[in-house]
Amino acid sequence: MATAPTTAAVPPAQAVARDAHWADKLARLRARQLPEYTLVICDDQDAKQYLDESLRDLARCRMADAENGRDHSDATAKAEAEVETAQEMFDSVALDLTFKALPRPILDGLIKRFPPTEAQAEDGDAWNPETFPAALIAAAHIERDDNRHTVEGMSEEDAQELLDSWPVAESNALFAAAWQAQQIVRTSTAELGKG
């Protein structure tokens, strides 16, 4: 018995439009940049104090403007200029260390590379706290040249040297900055579930 020839089914226009929408959305999701976290280090106490005082003065001026129903007083304009000067001074003496989130398989591999000892695991450690911090810092650290191109960052040896030579609070802050980059969530809970 012969079968009647079939014609290729043409998908409905709505489904085609939905596919194009999804393809565009997927391309945007794949093109997202990994989140970054920057640790700012400033050893110049005068620069820090100048910036802090300038910011406090600006806040007081803005509060006075609001209380007196003014949009923008001369005092506020002067305080804004002072903050700009203080920020430039601070920026000229501060150091930035920027850390980038690692793709999940890379972070998982790094954690597996530095497993905790049996005693550390019993203490609840998920990785070896003696070796993992330097490895994470080195893997996540990024450095950019003057043209904002990413160049080679910190080595594990450099990271370990800083961790060993800095005071405990600062060495903890260094590791925390690298770890914080791994924890940044850029989604809004109000948006979750929307399709």
Side-chain angles (χ1 to χ4, degrees):
M1 178 191 296
T3 322
T6 59
T7 57
V10 176
Q14 195 175 24
V16 171
R18 215 176 17 248
D19 284 348
H21 171 78
W22 172 245
D24 180 54
K25 185 182 277 189
L26 187 57
R28 288 179 55 203
L29 289 168
R30 288 179 173 148
R32 291 178 75 212
Q33 297 297 311
L34 295 170
E36 295 178 2
Y37 183 85
T38 299
L39 174 66
V40 179
I41 301 166
C42 182
D43 292 332
D44 187 325
Q45 295 302 316
D46 292 336
K48 285 198 281 193
Q49 184 176 352
Y50 179 35
L51 180 58
D52 289 344
E53 289 173 359
S54 298
L55 289 167
R56 279 193 297 273
D57 188 42
L58 176 59
R60 281 192 293 273
C61 289
R62 287 181 174 161
M63 192 178 301
D65 285 350
E67 288 172 357
N68 295 314
R70 294 186 301 243
D71 284 337
H72 197 260
S73 67
D74 290 341
T76 300
K78 182 179 176 184
E80 287 172 344
E82 196 69 25
V83 166
E84 192 173 311
T85 300
Q87 187 68 57
E88 287 172 5
M89 180 180 168
F90 180 88
D91 291 345
S92 72
V93 295
L95 299 170
D96 294 350
L97 289 175
T98 301
F99 299 95
K100 191 175 215 171
L102 301 172
R104 188 186 52 77
I106 293 174
L107 180 60
D108 289 348
L110 198 60
I111 291 171
K112 287 177 185 168
R113 196 174 123 210
F114 297 96
T117 64
E118 194 174 308
Q120 291 165 342
E122 287 175 9
D123 288 342
D125 291 324
W127 56 72
N128 188 317
E130 295 173 16
T131 54
F132 176 74
L136 177 65
I137 290 165
H141 177 248
I142 58 170
E143 198 63 39
R144 292 195 173 93
D145 63 17
D146 293 338
N147 296 321
R148 304 286 302 148
H149 296 110
T150 302
V151 296
E152 191 170 327
M154 194 180 312
S155 70
E156 282 185 38
E157 294 76 21
D158 291 337
Q160 191 63 58
E161 179 186 338
L162 295 177
L163 289 169
D164 291 343
S165 63
W166 286 5
V168 170
E170 292 179 355
S171 123
N172 286 344
L174 179 61
F175 172 68
W179 186 248
Q180 180 63 36
Q182 312 314 309
Q183 304 303 309
I184 294 172
V185 177
R186 297 175 297 178
T187 57
S188 168
T189 55
E191 296 298 315
L192 290 178
K194 288 181 75 176

